[in-house]
């Protein structure tokens, strides 16, 4: 079978779905790889490296889609809501598609993917099990975003991060608050600590406290308790408005005491909860920085503008999206390893075998034979259950 790697077409995207180093592993399993010319260049992987590892270069994008049995992408239509639509006519029935599809985005988009007949898999729907950990692209990209968010904050803050004792006096360390200590938040804690900041973190899931401590962070406890803070999959559950209101009241004082706030609190498929209001921003010291990693889904800060940097009340609010793409070499390497593990789990004797008893396959398969077949996606959009659904 042939795995095709088209060049990413989301504006500014620099990642590539497969890196040369994974090709030998795929070949061992009976998979050949065809790469659109230049697909890896921006990530630091020239065409020549792919050919050395046994890949074939296609001069035309259409050739990749026409010849490949499996198309692998970073941002497929859905998560690529700018230019992704142009790939739809290139997809065909029976072909497989793997990538970020934003399956809980909107029905018409997922339905449009289904209508091509393609058998699509969304990496966002990877179950959070030990076996699936090596395939978990959300965690890989979260790690990179958490790291990069701290670097952006450090670069923007008019203060130093570490404590320094110099002949010119003692410099006090920056105080950094991380809100939402999931994968990205935990990486942000670790990175800010390495730069010498004093780090506190808050999350509504009490289970996180120990992880924050183990990274040298202080855990902020609020006098409110979330109801059923996490679902069976380990994700935070949406809370009612009275919870969020109380949370904001209590967080106000905490935010004002920090120089940097990095927000990374998301609830899958939902608009991000507002944790930092405009009043809280106004109460921060001038020169403070907020990096809102939830900007893509509305933002955790009321004043965030998606994709932009703004200064409000003297506070810089960074709402960059697609931060993982700004570290394209390692983001691509991690993503390629995730995809390779995912593919190898499904390929038997050089053929794609969909074992619906495998939770990894069942959870990630979104469309097949013209239909949206994923039960979580159907439930989310209140679509009637499919009769053939397993
Ligand atoms: N394979 C696996 O076992 C696996 C894989 C990935 C993640 N995980 C675990 O799942 C958990 C969530 O990880 P994630 O990074 O994907 O989460 P995420 O990106 O979905 O959310 C980020 C964090 O924001 C928090 N949050 C949401 N709403 C909030 C609010 N109103 N106030 C404060 N915090 C709020 C969440 O609790 C979460 O910790 C982590 O504990 C992680 O270790 C397990």
């Amino acid at each position: 079978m042939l795995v095709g790697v088209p060049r990413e077409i989301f504006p500014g995207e620099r990642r590539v779905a497969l890196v040369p180093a994974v090709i030998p592993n795929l070949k061992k399993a009976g998979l050949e790889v065809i790469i659109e010319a230049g697909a890896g260049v921006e990530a630091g992987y020239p065409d020549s490296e792919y050919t050395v590892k046994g890949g074939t270069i296609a001069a035309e994008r259409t050739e990749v889609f026409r010849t490949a049995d499996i198309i692998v992408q970073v941002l497929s239509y859905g998560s690529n809501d700018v230019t992704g639509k142009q790939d739809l006519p290139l997809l065909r029935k029976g072909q497989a598609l793997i990538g970020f599809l934003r399956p809980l985005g909107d029905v018409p988009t997922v339905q449009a993917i289904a209508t091509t007949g393609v058998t699509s898999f969304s990496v966002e729907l990877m179950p959070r099990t030990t076996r699936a950990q090596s395939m978990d692209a959300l965690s890989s990209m979260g790690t990179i975003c958490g790291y990069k968010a701290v670097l952006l904050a450090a670069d923007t803050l008019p203060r130093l991060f570490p404590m320094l004792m110099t002949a010119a006096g003692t410099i006090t360390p920056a105080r950094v608050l991380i809100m939402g200590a999931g994968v990205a938040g935990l990486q942000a804690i670790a990175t800010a600590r390495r730069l010498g900041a004093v780090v506190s973190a808050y999350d509504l899931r009490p289970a996180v406290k120990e992880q924050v401590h183990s990274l040298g962070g202080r855990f902020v406890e609020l006098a409110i308790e979330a109801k059923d803070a996490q679902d069976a999959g380990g994700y935070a559950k949406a809370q009612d408005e009275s919870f969020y209101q109380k949370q904001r009241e209590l967080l106000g004082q905490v935010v004002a005491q920090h120089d940097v706030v990095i927000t990374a609190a998301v609830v899958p498929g939902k608009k991000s909860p507002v944790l930092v209001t405009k009043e809280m921003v106004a109460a921060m010291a001038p020169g403070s920085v907020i990096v809102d990693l939830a900007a893509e889904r509305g933002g955790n800060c009321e004043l965030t503008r998606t994709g932009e940097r703004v200064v409000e009340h003297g506070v810089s609010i960074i709402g960059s999206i697609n931060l993982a793409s700004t570290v394209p070499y390692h983001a691509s390497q991690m993503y390629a390893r995730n995809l390779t593990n995912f593919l190898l789990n499904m390929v038997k004797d050089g053929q794609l075998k969909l074992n619906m008893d495998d939770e990894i396959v069942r959870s990630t398969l979104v469309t097949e034979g013209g239909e949206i077949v994923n039960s979580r996606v159907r439930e989310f959009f209140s679509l009637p259950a499919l009769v053939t659904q397993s």
Side-chain angles (χ1 to χ4, degrees), residues 127-134 136 138-139 142 179-186 202-205 208 211 229-230 233-237 239 243-244 247 251 264-268 273-275 297 300:
R128 313 193 120 179
T129 55
T130 309
R131 196 164 68 86
Q133 237 166 357
S134 65
D136 188 351
L138 271 184
S139 290
M179 297 169 110
V183 176
L186 291 172
Y202 168 69
D203 196 293
L204 57 72
R205 292 180 302 120
V208 170
Q211 293 166 16
Q230 70 184 53
Y235 283 107
K237 277 190 157 175
Q239 304 291 312
F243 174 89
Y244 288 135
Q247 192 181 42
L251 281 173
V266 294
V267 178
V274 171
L275 302 179
R297 297 191 221 170
N300 292 136

Side-chain angles (χ1 to χ4, degrees), residues 88-383:
L88 287 183
L90 303 177
L91 297 167
R92 62 169 190 277
K93 190 171 185 323
Q95 191 174 43
L97 170 72
I98 309 171
F100 280 96
L101 304 182
R102 199 177 290 167
L104 305 180
D106 63 88
V107 184
T109 304
V110 187
Q111 189 55 56
I113 297 171
T115 304
T116 65
V118 81
T119 303
S120 67
F121 298 87
S122 150
V123 295
E124 293 102 318
L125 296 177
M126 198 62 71
R128 313 193 120 179
T129 55
T130 309
R131 196 164 68 86
Q133 237 166 357
S134 65
M135 311 173 197
D136 188 351
L138 271 184
S139 290
S140 298
M141 298 306 116
T143 301
I144 296 200
C145 291
Y147 160 84
K148 194 61 193 263
V150 174
L151 298 192
L152 283 180
D155 190 38
T156 309
L157 190 72
R159 306 169 67 104
L160 289 164
F161 260 42
M163 186 190 87
L164 294 181
M165 290 165 92
T166 78
T170 301
I171 308 279
T172 52
R175 288 153 304 177
V176 175
L177 174 67
I178 313 288
M179 297 169 110
V183 176
L186 291 172
Q187 186 57 43
I189 298 172
T191 307
R193 288 281 299 146
R194 280 182 205 124
L195 286 178
V198 172
V199 184
S200 302
Y202 168 69
D203 196 293
L204 57 72
R205 292 180 302 120
V208 170
K209 186 175 168 179
E210 236 174 80
Q211 293 166 16
V212 172
H213 284 165
S214 71
L215 290 169
R218 194 175 68 86
F219 190 70
V220 176
E221 306 219 33
L222 299 185
I224 39 165
E225 218 174 282
K227 284 190 208 83
D228 306 328
Q230 70 184 53
D231 66 15
Y235 283 107
K237 277 190 157 175
Q239 304 291 312
D240 58 22
E241 193 41 44
S242 68
F243 174 89
Y244 288 135
Q245 202 178 331
K246 184 91 181 103
Q247 192 181 42
R248 285 194 287 266
E249 279 167 27
L250 295 169
L251 281 173
Q253 299 134 26
V254 182
V255 167
Q257 292 158 5
H258 288 83
D259 307 304
V260 169
V261 175
I262 294 175
T263 62
V266 294
V267 178
K270 298 257 161 57
K271 195 177 170 303
S272 310
V274 171
L275 302 179
V276 183
T277 60
K278 47 182 186 293
E279 291 77 18
M280 289 187 211
V281 175
M284 290 179 83
S288 301
V289 180
I290 298 174
V291 181
D292 192 342
L293 286 177
E296 207 162 330
R297 297 191 221 170
N300 292 136
C301 172
E302 209 175 357
L303 296 177
T304 294
R305 289 216 215 118
T306 303
E308 289 181 34
R309 253 173 200 258
V310 292
V311 180
E312 300 275 1
H313 307 287
V315 177
S316 297
I317 304 167
I318 302 175
S320 307
I321 53 164
N322 210 13
L323 272 187
S325 173
T326 65
V327 192
Y329 184 88
H330 280 129
S332 303
Q333 185 185 88
M334 292 168 87
Y335 187 68
R337 287 185 185 156
N338 292 146
L339 282 193
T340 302
N341 292 329
F342 181 65
L343 276 169
L344 296 184
N345 180 57
M346 288 196 296
V347 171
K348 302 278 169 299
D349 307 318
Q351 298 299 316
L352 207 56
K353 299 259 163 63
L354 300 194
N355 172 12
M356 294 305 281
D357 292 331
D358 181 344
E359 192 198 3
I360 292 173
V361 178
R362 202 172 54 238
S363 303
T364 52
L365 179 67
V366 180
T367 70
E368 195 183 20
E371 296 265 23
I372 300 172
V373 295
N374 187 287
S375 53
R376 181 166 161 211
V377 175
R378 291 193 75 92
E379 256 169 51
F380 186 84
F381 290 128
S382 308
L383 299 173

